[in-house]
Each structure stands twice: as structure tokens, then as C-alpha cells.
Amino acid sequence: MPFCKVADRQSDTERACDNGIEIFYRTYGHGPTKVLLITGLAGTHDSWGPQIKGLTGSDRPNDDDKMRTVDQNSGAVGDSEMDGEIEVCAFDNRGMGSSSVPTQKSYYTTKIMAKDAIALLDHLGWQKAHIFGHSMGAMIACKLAALVPDRVLSLALLNVTGGGFECFPKLDRQTVSIAIRFLRAKTPEQRAAVDLDTHYTKEYLEEYVGSKTRRAILYQEYVKSISSTGMQSNYGFEGQINACWTHKMMQTEIEVIRSAGFLVTVIHGRHDIIAQIYYARRLAENLQPVARMIDLHGGHLVSHERTEEVNQALYDLIKASESKISPHNWTNLPQKNSGSASLRWISPSRTSTDLSTFGIAEKINLCLLYMCKLFVSVFEHTRRTQRSLRPVRVEASLT
């Protein structure tokens, strides 16, 4: 199986947290156009399946000795045009799948994981590539773009947030219930059931495909997938959560991306209960004039729920980059004007009272998010303390 040894590609000062780290990857398709796909939290490389099929027309990795076939129903865009044009690489982030799992939480940050991705580009011999990331993978993609902007041909950010408190879902009964079920999930069956509710909209899951609902079909697929890769370890899960929580894009990094010369597409599901679309819009607006915002009717895994539209958007981004379209002709965001409320996507018709109410509501939401994080931190600390104070059971001596 193909692996990239990260430490072989790092400087001496960086090898402390990278020594022995191996990143599992797979490539698909062949062609001069290179695309690197970065996976989200607790996901493996094959979570990009619909996009791999859509961009390359191939449903098997290049290292697979079996005869590769083309899936005509993969959501591919213009198969005849793309055939032989695009090579895609998808990989498992550290802490998940077949990649290494560091045991120290500090070895997981979006910057460190971006350097994993850069090491993989070096390993593949790709000087430049289109960088596409989903959720946590989009955060990593942002860091990569800020670190090595000269190696980025274009940037696609799917269901992205700015990290930290922005990672908290909208607080309501549904998300609290899902969070509790997620923490309690100990088997592939339990995890599959909760993943479906976090990834897709309810109406999508209730649609019938033949005699079965999508939920029933996807449930079996999820159980099979989770069973084959195994449940994510506590080290990997807590480490990747740490990467999301500590992620932040500084203004200098935003400026690097804005001025680098490549185009950006931000894609989001309107009904994403994990990553709120407000923060994705704000990031897109901060990346003006090089960014385009596309919101689709879908959930957190909009790349699966709206495969054809997402694949078309990614293909359009590749083609626009190759044809050197001007950023001002690419963006669909309102221009920034002094005194304009466009940064918050507020209609000009709103009154000052509306704006004030909006600001107060936002502050209340931030307060609630902070209190939620504080509660979780106290709960985790108490649980660890209780574990450390448990009496030790002494067995009878055998001697």
C-alpha cells in the first residue's frame, strides 16, 4: 500500500512531531492536471469517492492491479472532456484510517497537518496542484495555501468554518441529541446511525430509491465502511478535535491567499448542522475578490448529497484557473463598499434596529457557545479526575 513518510520531507526542527508518521494515500486517473483532496474530521480518503469518480471517471485507485472500470453513473461532468486530463490524490489524515496515529494531542494542528499534505505533494513530485478540502480538510487546505501559495493552482473549501468556537453547531434540541448519540456510539452500527443524521438532510434520507429509503441503503454502506476501517481511536479523535479547536486563520494568512493569484470556491450546504453557513460566507467575503460562494440545498456532506452540482463547481474552478479568468469576473460576491453591510450579507433594506438586533443575537450565540465549551471542558476534567481516583482492585497473589 502507498505511504508517504512525513519526516523524510521535513527539516530537522520539524521532525519531533513527525518522526515515524506515515500518511496513507491513493491516486486515481492520469493526466497533467493534479488535484489534492483533503479529508475532514474522522473521515478516510474514500469519503471523496463521488468527486474522484466525477473528476477522473475512474472508480479504482492507480495502485489497484484489477481492471479499472468507469462508472457511468458517478456524477461525472463531461467524461469525454476530462478523460486523460486529471490525476487525483486522496489520503487519510494523521489520526485516521491507515495513516499513523500520534498519541500526543499537540501533534495535531491544522498547520502540522497542512505540512503532511505538502510532504505528500513532494512525495508525488507534484510541484503545483488544485487543493480541495472538506470541513476540517478545508481548514487544512487554507493553512496549506497560506504556507505555500506558489504551489496552489486553485482552492476549493467545502463546508468550512474558521475553527475554534465556529466549529460548534447551532445549539438546538436536534444537535444536542446528535452530539450525545455521537459520544455514546461504540459500534459501527451506532456510529453509522448518527453519522447519517449529521451528514445529510432529513428529506434526502427519506427519499425512496426503488423499494428502500436512502437511509436504509446508506446505513448498510456506512456500517460496512466503518467496519472495514475500524472505529477512530481516542487518540486520533481527540487529536483531530484539537486541530479544529485550535485552528485560526490570521489576517496576514488571509492576505497571502487573496494576493496569491489563484481562484477560490467556497461550497456549503444550506442545512449543514455541523458547520454553520454564516462562517463560510464570512470567510468567502474576506477572500474577495478571488472567491466565489456556492450554497446548495444539502447538509454537511453536500459533496455526496448534491454530487453533480459539486462536481460541476469543482470542474468549473479547474477550467477557470486554466483559462486565467480574472478574479473580478470569477467572484459572485457583492463588492465591499465603505458603510456597506455586505460583510454580514444583510439586505440594504434592513433598518438600524434590525442591525442592532442581529448584533445582539450574534453575541448571545457566542456566549452560549463559550458556555457550552466551558461545560464540556469541566465535564471532561471531572471524568478524568474520577478515573484517576478509582480504587485499584488488588487480585489475590499467586505466590
Side-chain angles (χ1 to χ4, degrees), residues 356-395:
S356 176
T357 303
F358 182 87
I360 293 171
E362 184 182 16
K363 289 177 182 178
I364 291 174
N365 188 41
L366 294 182
C367 247
L368 288 171
L369 291 173
Y370 174 77
M371 290 171 66
C372 181
K373 172 60 179 175
L374 188 62
F375 173 78
V376 171
S377 299
V378 171
F379 175 78
E380 290 180 347
H381 176 73
T382 304
R383 188 173 60 174
R384 293 193 195 100
T385 303
Q386 287 176 340
R387 286 177 179 173
S388 65
L389 294 177
R390 283 178 182 171
V392 178
R393 182 178 178 182
V394 180
E395 300 288 347

Side-chain angles (χ1 to χ4, degrees), residues 123-187:
H123 175 79
L124 294 168
W126 293 4
Q127 184 56 39
K128 293 188 176 186
H130 299 273
I131 309 298
F132 300 165
H134 174 263
S135 194
M136 179 188 73
M139 301 181 206
I140 296 169
C142 284
K143 284 293 180 184
L144 185 154
L147 286 169
V148 288
D150 57 314
R151 302 188 66 173
V152 179
L153 293 172
S154 73
L155 183 66
L157 307 173
L158 283 69
N159 299 83
V160 67
T161 72
F165 70 85
E166 294 185 14
C167 294
F168 279 107
K170 189 174 182 179
L171 294 177
D172 56 25
R173 182 179 298 179
Q174 179 191 13
T175 53
V176 169
S177 173
I178 289 174
I180 293 172
R181 288 167 55 207
F182 182 87
L183 292 172
R184 289 178 175 175
K186 303 300 181 185
T187 66

